[in-house]
């Protein structure tokens, strides 16, 4: 079989996926950028006025957008700080000989298979004030601990953190499964060699498991970062951005508010394009760390 024929065959099989990617990813991105150059209300059949980069100049001066972006950054950082360490700990624990290992794996992964709306409504009910039968507030009062009078989502200081706790609760199990797969792929001979050298459980985890998990940690970090920058559904169902102070506003909820609720597609597309560019720059920067992960793996294996 000639190389030309093999190349044509590969492209033939790739063609449907490439066509779908172009139609549903590339074209909408280009269209969003084009629409962002117009003052285009939703009810208009055609663009009412070409404004060029005026929408982007407006975006730079938009305090709500920068506040929403700062919330995305907080979500990103806390997702990495909370979700990944807990997931690594659970993966290491459940990869060993633990009674009921299968049961606990199922329990920790269950939030990932629940519908987002169900999770949002469940936790919103738990965060309600005591007079509205909010479970967490009632529990704090029963323990004689301070509790927010307006519930967790009604307190501007706790609303964003409460949403982040809910998001972390959902995704810890997902990252745990990734780390468990990575741990199971580590050769047992490396642990035996570490034990022969006198390493205890912590030292084996520190010098064998963690370095060899570096590629999986990088993948989990990228997924967590991308998810934090584009998260929408759970936050919107729980708080709708936290009006009137936008205490839980994210760039995606703000984009929805501008583009759909206020029926201003042009400026909403500007927010979408800005979010896309920021996400792309962050992910490209994180993906650049792959060389450090590969170097760590080579060092351990050598």
């Amino acid at each position: 079989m000639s190389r030309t024929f093999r190349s044509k065959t590969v492209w033939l099989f790739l063609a449907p996926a490439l066509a779908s990617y172009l139609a549903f990813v590339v074209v909408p991105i280009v269209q969003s950028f084009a629409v962002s150059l117009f003052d285009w209300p939703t009810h208009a059949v055609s663009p009412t006025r070409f404004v060029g980069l005026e929408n982007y100049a407006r975006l730079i001066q938009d305090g709500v957008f920068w506040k929403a972006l700062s919330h995305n950054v907080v979500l990103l950082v806390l997702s990495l700080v909370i979700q990944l360490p807990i997931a690594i700990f659970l993966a290491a624990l459940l990869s060993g000989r633990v009674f009921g290992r299968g049961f606990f794996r199922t329990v920790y992964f269950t939030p990932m298979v629940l519908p987002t709306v169900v999770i949002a409504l469940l936790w919103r009910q738990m965060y309600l004030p005591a007079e509205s039968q909010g479970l967490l507030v009632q529990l704090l009062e029963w323990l004689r601990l301070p509790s927010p009078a307006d519930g967790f989502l009604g307190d501007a200081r706790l609303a964003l953190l409460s949403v982040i706790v809910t998001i972390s609760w959902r995704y810890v199990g997902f990252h745990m499964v990734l780390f468990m797969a990575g741990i199971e792929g580590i050769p047992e001979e490396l642990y035996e060699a570490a034990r022969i050298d006198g390493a205890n459980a912590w030292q084996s985890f520190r010098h064998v498991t963690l370095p060899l998990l570096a590629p999986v940690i990088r993948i989990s970090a990228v997924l967590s970062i991308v998810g934090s920058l584009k998260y929408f559904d759970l936050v919107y169902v729980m708080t709708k951005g936290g009006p009137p102070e936008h205490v839980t506003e994210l760039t995606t909820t703000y984009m929805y508010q501008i583009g759909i609720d206020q029926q201003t597609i042009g400026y909403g597309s500007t927010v979408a394009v800005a979010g896309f560019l920021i996400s792309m720059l962050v992910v490209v920067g994180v993906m650049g760390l792959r060389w450090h992960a590969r170097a760590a793996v080579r060092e351990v294996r050598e």
Side-chain angles (χ1 to χ4, degrees):
M1 184 181 296
S2 65
R3 178 177 300 179
T4 303
F5 180 80
R6 287 198 303 268
S7 177
K8 291 182 178 179
T9 303
V10 170
W11 282 108
L12 181 63
F13 280 101
L14 288 177
L18 290 175
S20 299
Y21 183 79
L22 288 174
F24 297 107
V25 178
V26 176
V27 171
I29 291 174
V30 174
Q31 287 180 332
S32 296
F33 177 74
V35 173
S36 70
L37 302 178
F38 292 87
D39 177 15
W40 193 339
T42 303
H43 59 271
V45 177
S46 60
T48 57
R49 184 168 61 94
F50 178 78
V51 295
L53 299 178
E54 288 183 14
N55 282 333
Y56 291 92
R58 172 186 171 186
L59 184 69
I60 293 176
Q61 300 175 356
D62 190 342
V64 178
F65 171 77
W66 293 109
K67 186 174 184 179
L69 183 60
S70 70
H71 293 163
N72 278 102
V73 174
V74 172
L75 174 60
L76 186 156
V77 173
L78 291 184
S79 294
L80 295 176
V81 171
I82 296 174
Q83 294 178 29
L84 268 60
I86 295 177
I88 293 174
F89 171 77
L90 293 176
L93 184 64
L94 296 179
S95 295
R97 297 178 180 179
V98 179
F99 177 76
R101 179 174 59 177
F103 170 77
F104 287 110
R105 287 180 176 181
T106 303
V107 168
Y108 290 128
F109 189 73
T110 297
M112 274 301 301
V113 302
L114 293 177
T116 302
V117 175
V118 172
I119 294 176
L121 294 177
L122 172 65
W123 280 84
R124 189 173 69 178
Q125 185 68 29
M126 293 172 60
Y127 285 144
L128 288 175
E131 59 270 17
S132 300
Q133 306 301 315
L135 178 61
L136 292 180
V137 176
Q138 288 182 339
L139 178 61
L140 290 176
E141 291 181 352
W142 182 73
L143 295 174
R144 301 184 183 277
L145 296 175
S147 61
D150 298 327
F152 286 88
L153 298 180
D155 192 320
R157 299 168 300 177
L158 299 175
L160 181 62
L161 180 60
S162 301
V163 171
I164 293 175
V165 168
T166 304
I167 295 173
S168 299
W169 174 82
R170 185 182 190 190
Y171 284 99
V172 160
F174 170 75
H175 294 290
M176 180 196 73
V177 171
L178 293 181
F179 293 138
M180 289 177 62
I183 291 175
E184 291 177 358
I186 298 176
E188 183 63 28
E189 292 80 5
L190 296 177
Y191 292 106
E192 293 178 358
R195 286 193 291 268
I196 291 174
D197 290 337
N200 55 30
W202 165 249
Q203 291 171 332
S204 297
F205 175 78
R206 169 67 180 82
H207 297 287
V208 178
T209 304
L210 275 184
L212 292 178
L213 273 183
V216 183
I217 294 175
R218 178 174 58 86
I219 293 173
S220 288
V222 170
L223 293 175
S224 182
I225 290 171
V226 172
S228 300
L229 293 174
K230 69 181 185 65
Y231 212 79
F232 171 77
D233 44 6
L234 188 144
V235 178
Y236 185 79
V237 174
M238 289 185 70
T239 66
K240 294 187 178 181
E245 299 179 8
H246 304 281
V247 292
T248 60
E249 196 81 77
L250 302 179
T251 54
T252 49
T253 59
Y254 186 52
M255 173 190 66
Y256 185 87
Q257 176 189 351
I258 293 295
I260 305 301
D261 292 345
Q262 299 183 13
Q263 299 187 348
T264 309
I265 291 181
Y267 189 57
S269 297
T270 305
V271 177
V273 171
F276 166 74
L277 293 176
I278 293 171
S279 300
M280 185 179 67
L281 291 175
V282 172
V283 171
V284 168
V286 173
M287 292 297 289
L289 298 176
R290 66 184 183 275
W291 302 112
H292 299 285
R294 291 178 180 177
V297 172
R298 286 197 299 266
E299 181 181 350
V300 173
R301 292 187 180 277
E302 291 173 358

